Amino acid sequence: EGGGWAPRLQSATLGDDGRGLRPGRRDGVGETCAHRGRPKDMTFFFVYLACSTAMSWLAPHDQTPERFKTCVAVGSAAHGAGADVDLVVALSFTESRFSMGAVSSAGAYGPLQVKPVFHCPGKRLKGCDLITAGLQALAKYRKKYGRWFEVL
């Protein structure tokens, strides 16, 4: 069975044509996401793939289940918000190495390094969803500046 930091992807099977996952079932699982055009049941697969790739960038002793869970949480939230999953996962890797407890010397917190005074309700860390706040900050700055290279 082998251990490892990544949970096994049990629901992914190749389709009959060998090109991808099996199509969704009639219970609504096969619906597509409006902003991506991907089947909803494949969302986890794409997040899992992005996180598995990003985790390989870490040193072996940093490849922990907690970091993988943080990456999946960030990627899933990014997908739900309509953001580019790969970009947000890469940003989280760069900013915190997927650490929920990351704190910078400048007072930024969490996997996306949010400054509560600017991006959290009540300008307080307590009760702030740091992933959501980070995604909202990215969307705000993307709207303000227009191009990713100016935002990042």
Side-chain angles (χ1 to χ4, degrees):
E1 290 286 307
W5 50 266
R8 300 176 97 190
L9 184 60
Q10 297 173 357
S11 63
T13 57
L14 288 177
D16 294 332
D17 60 3
R19 290 185 294 159
L21 297 179
R22 292 187 188 274
R25 300 178 299 271
R26 289 188 191 183
D27 59 4
V29 175
E31 297 174 34
T32 60
C33 300
H35 62 282
R36 290 276 188 229
R38 294 177 180 156
K40 287 183 181 178
D41 56 345
M42 290 181 69
T43 298
F44 177 75
F45 176 77
F46 288 107
V47 170
Y48 182 93
L49 183 61
C51 290
S52 295
T53 301
M55 288 293 290
S56 71
W57 302 334
L58 291 170
H61 65 275
D62 286 332
Q63 295 176 357
T64 65
E66 293 78 23
R67 289 180 193 259
F68 187 78
K69 287 177 189 175
T70 298
C71 181
V72 169
V74 168
S76 296
H79 185 274
D84 184 316
V85 172
D86 295 325
L87 182 132
V88 175
V89 164
L91 180 64
S92 180
F93 171 82
T94 301
E95 293 292 333
S96 69
R97 301 294 192 261
F98 308 122
S99 174
M100 285 298 281
V103 181
S104 76
S105 59
Y109 293 85
L112 295 172
Q113 289 295 279
V114 172
K115 284 191 167 186
V117 69
F118 297 119
H119 304 293
C120 291
K123 300 183 182 214
R124 300 178 62 197
L125 179 60
K126 186 175 181 178
C128 183
D129 179 340
L130 296 171
I131 295 172
T132 300
L135 291 170
Q136 289 171 345
L138 281 172
K140 172 184 164 183
Y141 293 128
R142 175 70 193 265
K143 185 176 180 179
K144 181 177 180 178
Y145 296 107
R147 295 180 286 190
W148 279 119
F149 75 88
E150 291 182 34
V151 173
L152 302 175

